Coordinates of all heavy atoms in Angstrom, one line a residue:
T1453 N 11.0 6.6 12.0 CA 11.4 6.8 13.4 C 12.9 7.0 13.6 O 13.4 8.0 14.1 CB 10.9 5.6 14.2 OG1 11.6 4.4 13.9 CG2 9.4 5.3 14.1
R1454 N 13.7 6.0 13.1 CA 15.1 6.0 13.5 C 15.9 7.2 12.9 O 16.8 7.7 13.6 CB 15.8 4.7 13.2 CG 16.7 4.3 14.3 CD 17.5 3.0 13.9 NE 18.3 3.2 12.8 CZ 19.0 2.2 12.2 NH1 18.9 1.0 12.6 NH2 19.8 2.5 11.2
L1455 N 15.4 7.6 11.8 CA 16.2 8.7 11.2 C 15.7 10.1 11.7 O 16.2 11.1 11.2 CB 16.0 8.7 9.7 CG 16.7 7.5 8.9 CD1 16.7 7.8 7.4 CD2 18.2 7.4 9.4
R1456 N 14.8 10.0 12.6 CA 14.3 11.3 13.1 C 14.4 11.4 14.6 O 14.2 10.5 15.3 CB 12.8 11.4 12.7 CG 12.6 11.5 11.3 CD 11.2 11.4 10.8 NE 11.1 11.5 9.4 CZ 11.0 12.6 8.7 NH1 11.0 13.8 9.4 NH2 11.0 12.6 7.4
D1457 N 14.6 12.7 15.1 CA 14.7 12.9 16.5 C 13.3 12.9 17.2 O 13.2 12.6 18.4 CB 15.4 14.2 16.9 CG 16.9 14.1 16.4 OD1 17.4 13.0 16.5 OD2 17.4 15.1 16.1
N1458 N 12.3 13.4 16.4 CA 11.1 13.7 17.0 C 9.9 12.7 16.7 O 8.7 13.1 16.8 CB 10.7 15.1 16.6 CG 10.5 15.3 15.2 OD1 10.8 14.4 14.4 ND2 9.9 16.4 14.8
I1459 N 10.2 11.5 16.2 CA 9.2 10.5 16.0 C 9.6 9.2 16.8 O 10.7 8.7 16.6 CB 8.9 10.3 14.6 CG1 8.5 11.6 13.9 CG2 7.8 9.2 14.4 CD1 8.1 11.4 12.4
V1460 N 8.7 8.7 17.6 CA 9.0 7.4 18.2 C 7.9 6.4 17.9 O 6.8 6.8 17.5 CB 9.0 7.6 19.8 CG1 10.3 8.5 20.2 CG2 7.8 8.3 20.3
G1461 N 8.1 5.2 18.2 CA 7.1 4.1 17.9 C 6.4 3.6 19.1 O 6.9 3.7 20.2
I1462 N 5.3 3.0 18.9 CA 4.6 2.2 19.9 C 4.0 0.9 19.3 O 4.0 0.8 18.0 CB 3.5 3.0 20.7 CG1 2.3 3.3 19.7 CG2 4.0 4.2 21.4 CD1 1.1 3.7 20.4
D1463 N 3.5 0.1 20.1 CA 2.8 -1.1 19.6 C 1.6 -1.3 20.5 O 1.7 -1.9 21.6 CB 3.8 -2.3 19.6 CG 3.1 -3.6 19.1 OD1 2.1 -3.4 18.3 OD2 3.6 -4.7 19.4
A1464 N 0.5 -0.8 20.2 CA -0.7 -0.9 21.0 C -1.5 -2.1 20.7 O -1.3 -2.7 19.6 CB -1.6 0.4 20.7
A1465 N -2.4 -2.5 21.6 CA -3.2 -3.7 21.4 C -4.3 -3.5 20.4 O -4.7 -2.4 20.1 CB -3.9 -4.0 22.8
I1466 N -4.7 -4.6 19.8 CA -5.7 -4.6 18.8 C -7.1 -4.3 19.5 O -7.9 -3.5 18.9 CB -5.8 -5.9 18.0 CG1 -4.6 -6.0 17.1 CG2 -7.1 -6.1 17.3 CD1 -4.4 -7.4 16.4
F1467 N -7.3 -4.9 20.6 CA -8.6 -4.7 21.3 C -8.5 -3.3 22.1 O -7.4 -3.1 22.7 CB -8.8 -5.8 22.4 CG -9.1 -7.1 21.8 CD1 -8.5 -8.2 22.4 CD2 -10.0 -7.2 20.8 CE1 -8.8 -9.5 21.9 CE2 -10.3 -8.5 20.2 CZ -9.7 -9.6 20.8
M1468 N -9.5 -2.6 22.0 CA -9.5 -1.3 22.8 C -10.8 -1.1 23.5 O -11.8 -1.7 23.1 CB -9.3 -0.1 21.8 CG -7.9 -0.2 21.1 SD -7.6 1.3 20.1 CE -7.3 2.5 21.4
H1469 N -10.9 -0.3 24.5 CA -12.1 0.0 25.2 C -13.2 0.4 24.1 O -12.9 1.3 23.3 CB -11.9 1.1 26.2 CG -13.1 1.2 27.1 ND1 -14.3 1.7 26.8 CD2 -13.2 0.7 28.4 CE1 -15.2 1.6 27.8 NE2 -14.5 1.0 28.8
P1470 N -14.4 -0.2 24.2 CA -15.4 0.2 23.2 C -15.8 1.6 23.0 O -16.1 2.1 21.9 CB -16.7 -0.6 23.6 CG -16.3 -1.5 24.7 CD -14.9 -1.2 25.1
R1471 N -15.6 2.4 24.1 CA -15.9 3.8 24.0 C -14.9 4.5 23.0 O -15.3 5.6 22.5 CB -15.7 4.5 25.4 CG -16.7 4.0 26.4 CD -18.0 4.7 26.4 NE -17.9 6.1 27.0 CZ -18.8 7.0 26.8 NH1 -19.8 6.8 26.0 NH2 -18.6 8.2 27.4
T1472 N -13.7 3.9 22.8 CA -12.8 4.5 21.9 C -13.5 4.7 20.5 O -13.3 5.8 19.9 CB -11.6 3.5 21.6 OG1 -11.1 3.1 22.8 CG2 -10.5 4.1 20.7
W1473 N -14.2 3.7 20.1 CA -14.8 3.8 18.8 C -16.1 4.6 18.7 O -16.5 5.0 17.6 CB -15.1 2.4 18.2 CG -13.8 1.5 18.3 CD1 -13.5 0.6 19.2 CD2 -12.6 1.8 17.6 NE1 -12.2 0.1 19.1 CE2 -11.6 0.9 18.1 CE3 -12.2 2.6 16.6 CZ2 -10.3 0.8 17.6 CZ3 -10.9 2.6 16.1 CH2 -10.0 1.7 16.6
E1474 N -16.6 5.0 19.8 CA -17.7 6.0 19.8 C -17.0 7.3 19.7 O -17.5 8.2 18.9 CB -18.5 5.9 21.1 CG -19.4 4.7 21.2 CD -20.0 4.5 22.6 OE1 -20.4 5.6 23.2 OE2 -20.1 3.4 23.1
A1475 N -16.0 7.6 20.5 CA -15.3 8.8 20.4 C -14.7 9.1 19.0 O -14.8 10.2 18.5 CB -14.2 8.9 21.5
S1476 N -14.2 8.1 18.4 CA -13.5 8.3 17.1 C -14.5 8.5 16.0 O -14.1 8.9 14.9 CB -12.6 7.1 16.8 OG -13.5 6.0 16.5
G1477 N -15.8 8.2 16.3 CA -16.8 8.4 15.2 C -17.0 7.1 14.4 O -17.9 7.1 13.5
H1478 N -16.3 6.1 14.7 CA -16.4 4.8 13.9 C -17.8 4.1 14.1 O -18.3 3.5 13.2 CB -15.3 3.9 14.1 CG -14.0 4.3 13.4 ND1 -13.2 5.3 14.0 CD2 -13.5 3.9 12.3 CE1 -12.1 5.5 13.2 NE2 -12.3 4.7 12.1
V1479 N -18.3 4.1 15.3 CA -19.6 3.5 15.5 C -20.7 4.2 14.7 O -21.5 3.5 14.1 CB -19.9 3.5 17.0 CG1 -21.3 3.0 17.3 CG2 -19.0 2.6 17.8
G1480 N -20.6 5.5 14.7 CA -21.7 6.2 14.0 C -21.4 6.4 12.5 O -22.4 6.4 11.7
A1481 N -20.2 6.5 12.1 CA -19.9 7.0 10.7 C -19.0 6.2 9.9 O -18.7 6.5 8.8 CB -19.4 8.4 10.8
F1482 N -18.5 5.0 10.4 CA -17.6 4.2 9.6 C -18.4 3.3 8.6 O -18.4 2.1 8.8 CB -16.6 3.5 10.5 CG -15.4 3.0 9.7 CD1 -14.6 3.8 8.9 CD2 -15.0 1.6 9.8 CE1 -13.5 3.3 8.2 CE2 -13.9 1.1 9.1 CZ -13.2 2.0 8.3
N1483 N -19.1 3.9 7.7 CA -20.0 3.2 6.9 C -19.6 3.3 5.4 O -19.0 4.3 5.0 CB -21.4 3.7 7.0 CG -21.9 3.7 8.4 OD1 -21.7 2.7 9.1 ND2 -22.5 4.8 8.8
D1484 N -19.9 2.2 4.6 CA -19.8 2.3 3.2 C -21.2 2.2 2.7 O -22.0 1.4 3.1 CB -18.9 1.2 2.7 CG -17.4 1.5 2.7 OD1 -17.2 2.8 2.9 OD2 -16.6 0.7 2.5
P1485 N -21.5 2.9 1.6 CA -22.9 2.8 1.0 C -22.9 1.5 0.1 O -22.1 1.4 -0.9 CB -23.0 4.0 0.1 CG -21.6 4.5 -0.1 CD -20.7 3.9 0.9
L1486 N -23.7 0.6 0.4 CA -23.8 -0.6 -0.5 C -25.0 -0.7 -1.4 O -26.0 -0.2 -1.0 CB -23.5 -1.9 0.3 CG -24.6 -2.3 1.3 CD1 -25.7 -3.2 0.5 CD2 -24.0 -3.2 2.4
I1487 N -24.9 -1.3 -2.5 CA -26.0 -1.5 -3.4 C -25.9 -2.9 -3.9 O -24.8 -3.4 -4.2 CB -26.0 -0.4 -4.5 CG1 -27.3 -0.5 -5.3 CG2 -24.8 -0.5 -5.4 CD1 -27.5 0.8 -6.2
D1488 N -27.1 -3.6 -4.1 CA -27.1 -5.0 -4.7 C -27.7 -4.9 -6.1 O -28.6 -4.1 -6.4 CB -27.9 -5.9 -3.8 CG -27.3 -6.1 -2.4 OD1 -26.3 -6.9 -2.3 OD2 -27.7 -5.4 -1.5

Side-chain angles (χ1 to χ4, degrees):
T1453 68
R1454 220 184 63 188
L1455 291 191
R1456 294 170 180 275
D1457 291 331
N1458 63 349
I1459 302 185
V1460 292
I1462 62 164
D1463 183 20
I1466 287 171
F1467 292 138
M1468 298 183 73
H1469 193 286
R1471 294 275 283 166
T1472 310
W1473 305 109
E1474 288 172 40
S1476 69
H1478 283 81
V1479 172
F1482 194 52
N1483 302 319
D1484 275 346
L1486 68 84
I1487 188 165
D1488 295 279

